[in-house]
Amino acid sequence: MKLSLTEIAEKKRRGEKLVMVTAYDHPSAVLAEEAGVDLVLVGDSAADNVLGYDSTVPVTIDELLVLVRAVARGAERAIVVGDLPFGSFQVSSEEAVRTAVRFVKEGGADVVKLEGAGRALERVQAIVGAGIPVMGHVGLTPQSATQLGGYRAQGRTAEKARRVLADARALEAAGCFALVLEAVPAAVAARITEAVSIPTIGIGAGSACDGQVLVWHDVLGLSDRPPARFVKRYAELRGEIREALERFAADVRAGTFPGDEHTYAIPDEELEAFLAGS
Ligand code: KIV
């Protein structure tokens, strides 16, 4: 049974933490589902984590839709959040609705997420008005990292913190059902979490948020980049995978793989007939 947005909202009221993780393919979605996560985000972070881009900016709608479809096929209970990529919602509300509809209709996403406030508020209203729930995202919004002065924490002065709080309130008023708070001081995130009635999901925003999200490659230690301050690695799979591949390569080169147990047999008489006739 799919989790409902009412249950998500209830969890905030009951003080139960929400768990979200990114996933970009079917096996990962199935694992996230088995682990009992509440929301699976097909983030535009697929750009740098799986598609080899050096930022989230270049990833296209079509590239993300392939991943959203794969994840949606694996997530029965968890809510699938499709992340609207840069350029797919900024130009007009009509285009924003069209993109969101594609994520739901072609991708199988349950809801969409978009970055920013300001002009994005109108887009949120339009998408929600079209019947598609929207998750907001404030603080560090990687799609506009250049404008924000790089990948750095936001809201670190009273004035800037007030701006993030105002954006969060405005996104709630525009109709968002939840909000990602990325890279804002813990105390600021705590105040925002108190000030809005929708759940906040933090990444680098401290423990007072209503939930937490981490990127798949970070949480599992699959990335070759040094982790951001807010990342906690729960496994070191990169090393394990490389070692497994090195052992496979060594076995192939030594002729010890495949063994008899990995090969198919043919009855002796069939083999004799085959060899005689070849
Ligand atoms: O794309 C992404 O992975 C995200 C998370 C960092 C929240 O937006």
Side-chain angles (χ1 to χ4, degrees), residues 22 24 41 43-45 83 113 115 137 180 182 203 213 215:
T22 70
Y24 313 108
L41 168 65
D44 62 353
S45 53
D83 208 3
K113 174 172 92 55
E115 289 186 12
H137 183 160
V180 168
E182 179 164 355
I203 175 161
V213 55
V215 165

Side-chain angles (χ1 to χ4, degrees), residues 155-234:
R156 298 186 81 180
T157 64
E159 192 194 329
K160 287 179 178 161
R162 271 198 293 271
R163 182 75 257 153
V164 185
L165 171 60
D167 287 346
R169 284 189 162 129
L171 283 164
E172 176 177 24
C176 283
F177 76 94
L179 203 53
V180 168
L181 299 180
E182 179 164 355
V184 296
V188 175
R191 173 71 194 107
I192 295 172
T193 299
E194 229 172 60
V196 297
S197 62
I198 55 174
T200 60
I201 302 179
I203 175 161
S207 62
C209 294
D210 299 306
Q212 298 293 326
V213 55
L214 280 178
V215 165
W216 186 264
H217 289 61
D218 290 339
V219 78
L220 296 175
L222 280 166
S223 174
D224 57 352
R225 293 180 307 241
R229 176 183 171 83
F230 53 72
V231 167
K232 179 169 174 183
R233 285 184 169 162
Y234 286 83

Side-chain angles (χ1 to χ4, degrees), residues 222 236-247:
L222 280 166
E236 293 294 343
L237 295 191
R238 192 168 193 277
E240 279 192 44
I241 291 172
R242 196 187 40 235
E243 197 202 308
L245 291 172
E246 282 167 0
R247 283 196 285 119

